[in-house]
Amino acid sequence: MKSTERVASRNIADLAIDLALHPKIGRRVESEIDFNRIYTAVDEVVEYFGSEKMAEFNYTLDSTNTSFEEILRMMSAVTGCHDRRVNRKTYFEFEGPESLPILLFNHRNKKPLASPSLHCCLWFALRFCLKA
């Protein structure tokens, strides 16, 4: 929750939350922000990289044409996170190393007739069907 006093911070979580609650920029209410997941993602960044510097944002936004979503995406990308908004809740996800493969290569993402074994099967099937 917000404190009664404003305190200068470079922490990406503090800045993202303050930006989201800003009445002219983010225009979000507290129920639309997942505070725990934002701070958890930033803690994961600090733990993974071993430095508080990786959870800082030191950039001046000079353009008035930059939307809240663009600013939030920029802020999250700097720390190796992804900004998400699901069911009206805004949060960050840390993109850390995965122990399981994320991409799955199977027959659905191969080019048609690209596999030599598939050619043999088609040739055999066509030859068998033509004889019958």
Side-chain angles (χ1 to χ4, degrees):
M1 297 297 153
K2 289 182 89 171
S3 63
T4 55
E5 295 179 17
R6 292 180 60 100
V7 178
S9 175
R10 292 180 178 167
N11 185 297
I12 201 82
D14 296 337
L15 295 171
I17 291 169
D18 191 53
L19 189 71
L21 295 174
H22 193 277
K24 292 186 179 179
I25 300 173
R27 298 188 306 265
R28 305 289 191 264
V29 293
E30 290 180 4
S31 63
E32 294 179 319
I33 302 167
D34 195 340
F35 295 95
N36 291 333
R37 287 184 77 174
I38 291 175
Y39 280 108
T40 300
V42 171
D43 289 343
E44 289 174 1
V45 168
V46 171
E47 182 181 331
Y48 180 75
F49 290 106
S51 172
E52 293 278 335
K53 292 285 185 190
M54 285 303 297
E56 290 183 1
F57 187 73
N58 299 308
Y59 186 77
T60 303
L61 301 167
D62 294 330
S63 175
T64 58
N65 294 328
T66 308
S67 69
F68 166 69
E69 287 80 12
E70 291 171 328
I71 296 170
L72 196 64
R73 186 165 296 120
M74 184 188 329
M75 291 171 74
S76 63
V78 165
T79 58
C81 294
H82 293 285
D83 61 313
R84 303 277 190 237
R85 187 167 186 222
V86 178
N87 296 329
R88 298 184 61 99
K89 285 276 198 179
T90 301
Y91 62 93
F92 286 170
E93 274 185 348
F94 175 58
E95 186 181 352
E98 298 287 335
S99 59
L100 298 173
I102 296 174
L103 295 177
L104 176 65
F105 292 100
N106 56 27
H107 68 281
R108 291 186 195 138
N109 42 13
K110 286 185 180 179
K111 289 184 179 179
L113 304 173
S115 175
S117 61
L118 184 60
H119 289 294
C120 294
C121 293
L122 287 174
W123 176 81
F124 181 75
L126 287 173
R127 187 167 180 183
F128 181 74
C129 291
L130 291 176
K131 283 187 177 181

